[in-house]
Amino acid sequence: MSGSLWLRPGVRRDSLPAIPRPRGGSPGPGDAVPGDAGRAEAEPADAGRADAAPGGAAPAGEGAPPAATPLPPAAGSPPPATPLPPAAGSPPPAGGPLVLADDPLDELADRIGPLAAAAVHPDEIAAILESDGMTDEHIRLTYGREDSFALGEELYARVERRHPEPAPEAAPPWYEGLGGCLLRGLVFALPGLAYVLGGPLPAGPPGRFDLPAGTVPLLAGAVAGWVWNQALAHRAYTWLGLGDRAAAARTLLTGAPAGALAGTVVAVAWTGPGEWPATAFAAGQALYLAGATVLLVLGRERALLCALSPLAGALFAFSHDLPDALRVGLLLASLTATLGCAAAVLLPAATPPDPSGGAHRRAGPPLVASLPYGLFGLGTGLLVLYAAVGDVLASDGPADVVAAPSAVALTLSMGPAEWLLHRFRGESRAGLRLTTTTRAFGRAAAAALVLCLVGYLAALLALALAGTLAWPGAGPPEAGRLLGLLLIGVVLWLGLLLQAYGAVLGAGLVCLLAAAAQMAAPAAAGPAAVAAAAVVLAAWSCALLVRPTAHRA
C-alpha cells in the first residue's frame, strides 16, 4: 500500500487478506496475485462497484480470464509483502495444500550446532563461518543477513549454549612407574659395591684430612664426573625432547669420552705420594660414569643392571678376605660390560639419518643452558660426600667415603625420590582439574608437597637405619647424624623438585653455598648451613608451586 493512500477519504469496503499461492502451482480462481494491491490503487472506482468481485477478480460471464493478470507495481510502492501462513484451524486454500520453503538458517544451525553451542561469543561463530569459506555476498544472498557477524549473532541467539565438560582423566594407580624408579635407585647405589671390592687395594697410612689412603683423588674424580655428566645428560635430554635421538646420541658420543678424560685428569691432579693405586681406580670410575650416563639417558637401565651384576661378589667381601686378583677381575668385568653395553647402544643411534652425513643439521640448544645443571650436580655431590665423610670419621673400623652407609642410603633413596616427584606432578595436575579457585589449588598443591616430602624422608630414614645396622664397622645410629642426613635429604629432594620446574640455577646455588659452608667449618657451620638451605628451598618451593601457572608447562 502506497503512502499517498492515507491522504484520501476513507472508503467503506470489505477487504480480505492475501492468501499465499501454493508452491509449484498456478493461481486458481479467487487467488490473490501480487499485482492486486497495485491495481486497487490504479482503479479505486472499482472498490465501490456492487459487482466487483473480492480480490479484484472480474465477475463471471464478462469474458474475464480465469486469473487476473498481475500489473506492475506503481512507482515508489514497496515490494509486495511476504505471504504469511494461514491461521491454525483455517481451511486449506483452494488449489492444494500449502507448502512453505525451508529456512536455510535452520539447516546452517543444525550443521554447525555443536560448534555454535560451545561458543562463548558471537564472534567465535563468525570466525567459524569465515573459515568455512562464507563471504558476505554469499551470506546476503543465501541467508539474507548483512555479513558474518550479523549471521553469527543470530546463530548465537538461536542455538542453546552447551559447553562440553573436559573428559575426566583417570588417575594412575599409585604403583605406576614405581618399578622403574626403584630400578634406577638400585642402579645408582650398586656402584658403591665397587668401593667395597676396591677398598683394600690402595691400602696405606691415613692420607690427607685424616681420611683413608687414596680418598682425596677418588673424591675429586667423582665430583668432577658428577658435574660433567649432569650437564651432559641435560644436553642429551634436551635433544631427546626435540625429537632428535640421533643428535642426543652424537652428543653423548662426544661428551662421554671427554667427561671420562676430565675425571681422570682431576684425579691425577689431586694425587699425593703413594696414592697412585687409588688414581687408577679413579680412572676406572671416570670410565664407568661415562658409560652409565649413556645407558641411563638412552633408557637402558636393565642393561646397566646386568653390567653391574659382577659387583655382587662384594657381598662375600663383607665376611671373607677375597684375593686381590679376584677383586680386580670382578671390577674389570663390570667396567668392561658397562662400556660394551654403552657402545652397543650408542654407536648405531649416533649414525646420521640423512645421506649427506648431517650437513644440514639444525643448531642445538645453547651450551650455557646446561651449566646450571652442572652446578646443581656439584652442590648435591658435595652434600652427599659431606654426609659420607661424617660416617667415616664416626666409624670404628675401615670404611670408604663413597661406600659409607649415609652415601648408600642417599643414592638408594633417589629411586623413591624420583617416583615421588612424578607423584607430585600428577597430584598438581589433578588439582588443576578439580579446583575452581587459586586459593583452593594452593592448598591442594601445598598438601601434596608436604605429603611427598614426608614420604621421601620416611624412605630415607628406613634406608639409613637398615644400612647403619648392617654395615660392618659402622657405629650405632646417632640422633644427630640421622637428623643431619634428613636435612640433606630435604635439600636434595626440594632441589630436584625445583630443578624439574625450571628453577635449577637458584637451587644449585643454594646447594653449593651450603656445601661450601660445610667444607669451610664442618663442625660449626655445617649443620646450620644445611638447615638454612632446607628452609630456603622449602619456602621457595611453596611460593613457586602453589601458583597454577607453574604447572601448565
Side-chain angles (χ1 to χ4, degrees), residues 108 112 115-116 119 121-136 139 147-156:
L108 180 62
I112 66 168
L115 298 176
H121 194 273
D123 288 353
E124 290 188 29
I125 304 178
I128 294 172
L129 297 175
E130 292 175 356
S131 66
D132 198 38
M134 291 191 185
T135 62
D136 291 343
I139 290 173
D147 51 21
S148 61
F149 294 100
L151 185 57
E153 290 178 358
E154 185 155 349
L155 288 171
Y156 185 81

Side-chain angles (χ1 to χ4, degrees), residues 81-170:
T82 303
L84 299 176
S90 61
L98 180 65
V99 179
L100 298 178
D102 294 334
D103 188 354
L105 197 59
D106 293 336
E107 186 274 334
L108 180 62
D110 292 338
R111 184 163 62 89
I112 66 168
L115 298 176
V120 297
H121 194 273
D123 288 353
E124 290 188 29
I125 304 178
I128 294 172
L129 297 175
E130 292 175 356
S131 66
D132 198 38
M134 291 191 185
T135 62
D136 291 343
E137 181 180 1
H138 172 76
I139 290 173
R140 284 193 294 269
L141 293 175
T142 307
Y143 303 104
R145 307 306 186 270
E146 183 65 25
D147 51 21
S148 61
F149 294 100
L151 185 57
E153 290 178 358
E154 185 155 349
L155 288 171
Y156 185 81
R158 177 177 295 206
V159 179
E160 183 182 359
R161 304 271 72 73
R162 295 188 302 273
H163 300 291
E165 294 291 335
E169 183 177 345

Side-chain angles (χ1 to χ4, degrees), residues 210-243:
D210 295 330
L211 295 174
T215 300
V216 173
L218 280 177
L219 294 182
V223 171
W226 290 341
V227 174
W228 182 278
N229 289 292
Q230 186 81 1
L232 176 65
H234 169 261
R235 185 165 179 80
Y237 276 126
T238 304
W239 277 116
L240 290 176
L242 294 174

Side-chain angles (χ1 to χ4, degrees), residues 41 83 98-99 214 228 243-244 254 258 261 298 419 484:
E41 295 184 25
L98 180 65
V99 179
W228 182 278
D244 197 341
T254 305
L261 180 61
L298 297 181
W419 180 72

Side-chain angles (χ1 to χ4, degrees), residues 189-451:
L190 276 180
L193 296 177
Y195 297 94
V196 176
L197 287 173
L201 298 180
R208 289 163 288 178
F209 311 109
D210 295 330
L211 295 174
T215 300
V216 173
L218 280 177
L219 294 182
V223 171
W226 290 341
V227 174
W228 182 278
N229 289 292
Q230 186 81 1
L232 176 65
H234 169 261
R235 185 165 179 80
Y237 276 126
T238 304
W239 277 116
L240 290 176
L242 294 174
D244 197 341
R245 187 176 179 86
R250 288 191 295 269
T251 299
L252 294 172
L253 184 61
T254 305
L261 180 61
T264 302
V265 170
V266 171
V268 170
W270 283 87
T271 299
E275 293 182 335
W276 288 106
T279 304
F281 188 90
Q285 171 185 259
L287 290 172
Y288 166 77
L289 289 175
T293 300
V294 171
L295 293 175
L296 290 174
V297 170
L298 297 181
R300 298 295 191 271
E301 292 89 353
R302 288 179 173 79
L304 182 57
L305 181 63
C306 294
L308 292 174
S309 58
L311 297 181
L315 299 176
F316 299 97
F318 286 114
S319 56
H320 299 81
D321 187 13
L322 300 180
D324 291 346
L326 180 58
R327 294 174 181 270
V328 173
L330 293 176
L331 292 173
L332 290 178
S334 179
L335 177 60
T336 303
T338 301
L339 296 178
C341 291
V345 172
L346 187 59
L347 293 178
T351 302
D354 55 314
S356 61
H360 302 288
R361 297 171 192 162
R362 58 180 174 179
L367 292 173
V368 70
S370 300
L371 181 60
Y373 292 85
L375 294 178
F376 182 78
L378 176 61
T380 54
L382 291 176
L383 287 175
V384 173
L385 291 181
Y386 175 80
V389 167
D391 284 349
V392 171
L393 296 179
S395 177
D396 297 331
D400 188 86
V401 173
V402 187
S406 294
V408 173
L410 286 171
T411 51
L412 276 175
S413 69
M414 289 298 101
E418 184 177 351
W419 180 72
L420 288 168
L421 291 176
H422 289 297
R423 293 301 302 169
F424 175 76
R425 184 177 290 273
E427 294 294 333
S428 62
R429 289 180 176 175
L432 287 176
R433 297 191 307 270
L434 300 178
T435 57
T436 57
T437 64
T438 304
R439 186 182 299 273
F441 174 78
R443 290 195 298 267
L449 178 63
V450 172
L451 183 63

